Amino acid sequence: YRGKGGIWEKFQPVYFEEFLNNEEKRILYWKRKQEQWDTINKARPNKGHIFFKELYDQGKLKGLITQNIDGLHEKSGLPKEIMVNLHGNTLEVICLQCGFLISSEEVFKDMDLDKGVPICSKCNGLLKPNTISFGQNLKIEDLKRAEDLALACDLMVVMGSTLIVQPASTYPLIAKQNRAFMVIINLSETPLDSLADLVFSMKIEEFLKEYEK
């Protein structure tokens, strides 16, 4: 997103207030989403996503907290009710007025931005991918569910996160302070490495190869 050649070099971030109040900004926002959609729609879960699905099938996974918006955990087969998508899910679109949900695939297949941005068929409200934009508050219910999972777990596995971005970075700390065993699997160092019971400084796929042996 932020690196050279990333999304923000081509499309500057559209803040939530801009989306609400400026039609040109809404069109810019949807253009970016439209450009990303084909890649996101075709993406398939990798070994990391399958790992958590297998844990769930074995009765070992009680919940999953993620900042990812790509929907790949859903595609792996994990039930929605055990997941907390802190930053939302790009596989669905929500009406900002009435809360009606529709699949992103249905919206993008008929979308023609020359005719304007998508509008809710139920109430004519603004439609928006069900993800958190810059300047948009995270959902209180999601934060509460994530905290409850952190407090209830006896094992917290942190995979592929630098543990820098709030509030996601606080949940492993909450779990550890509540005497959970904490494992961190990440290529780079994290601020919580010194508190973790086990740290694997390696790529996720390398760790999973060792785990499968």
Side-chain angles (χ1 to χ4, degrees):
Y1 275 81
R2 296 174 178 82
K4 186 176 182 181
I7 292 295
W8 301 141
E9 281 196 354
K10 187 169 185 179
F11 292 123
Q12 288 299 310
V14 174
Y15 282 76
F16 188 55
E17 283 298 319
E18 293 177 320
F19 182 91
L20 293 178
N21 298 311
N22 187 309
E23 177 70 7
E24 290 184 1
K25 291 292 187 178
R26 283 194 287 272
I27 291 174
L28 178 62
Y29 177 91
W30 276 106
K31 280 183 178 179
R32 176 167 60 83
K33 292 297 183 180
Q34 188 176 41
E35 179 169 287
Q36 294 175 303
W37 174 245
D38 189 57
T39 299
I40 290 173
N41 193 35
K42 292 178 179 177
R44 293 296 176 261
N46 60 30
K47 288 185 177 181
H49 302 103
I50 300 303
F51 169 74
F52 287 110
K53 176 58 166 59
E54 290 174 347
L55 288 181
Y56 174 77
D57 291 340
Q58 297 165 12
K60 298 177 181 178
L61 182 67
K62 300 303 180 184
L64 185 142
I65 304 167
T66 181
Q67 295 171 283
N68 295 339
I69 64 170
D70 50 31
L72 291 177
H73 284 296
E74 286 85 348
K75 289 182 180 181
S76 76
L78 277 180
K80 189 173 181 178
E81 58 266 22
I82 76 157
M83 297 183 56
V84 181
N85 287 296
L86 289 174
H87 292 177
N89 179 0
T90 200
L91 298 182
E92 57 188 21
V93 170
I94 189 169
C95 173
L96 296 178
Q97 182 166 306
C98 72
F100 176 67
L101 287 172
I102 184 173
S103 74
S104 294
E105 186 171 9
E106 187 171 344
V107 173
F108 281 106
K109 72 179 181 181
D110 296 324
M111 189 167 69
D112 182 356
L113 292 174
D114 289 334
K115 297 179 180 179
V117 298
I119 298 297
C120 179
S121 62
K122 303 294 182 181
C123 72
N124 291 322
L126 289 175
L127 291 179
K128 178 183 175 294
N130 197 16
T131 56
I132 301 298
S133 296
F134 286 91
Q136 184 177 4
N137 292 330
L138 274 64
K139 297 177 181 178
I140 297 298
E141 58 267 31
D142 288 337
L143 299 176
K144 180 62 167 60
R145 287 181 60 218
E147 183 177 359
D148 289 345
L149 285 173
L151 288 170
C153 74
D154 52 22
L155 169 63
M156 170 69 76
V157 178
V158 180
M159 186 176 283
S161 174
T162 57
L163 294 177
I164 293 175
V165 178
Q166 298 281 1
S169 60
T170 64
Y171 298 118
L173 181 59
I174 291 172
K176 186 60 185 173
Q177 290 174 338
N178 205 46
R179 300 182 179 180
F181 194 89
M182 183 166 67
V183 180
I184 296 177
I185 306 153
N186 195 59
L187 188 59
S188 60
E189 295 180 355
T190 83
L192 297 187
D193 283 358
S194 62
L195 298 178
D197 296 280
L198 291 173
V199 176
F200 297 91
S201 299
M202 56 203 308
K203 293 181 179 180
I204 293 172
E205 55 267 32
E206 293 174 354
F207 169 82
L208 292 176
K209 285 180 182 178
E210 296 297 318
Y211 173 82
E212 291 168 356
K213 289 182 179 179

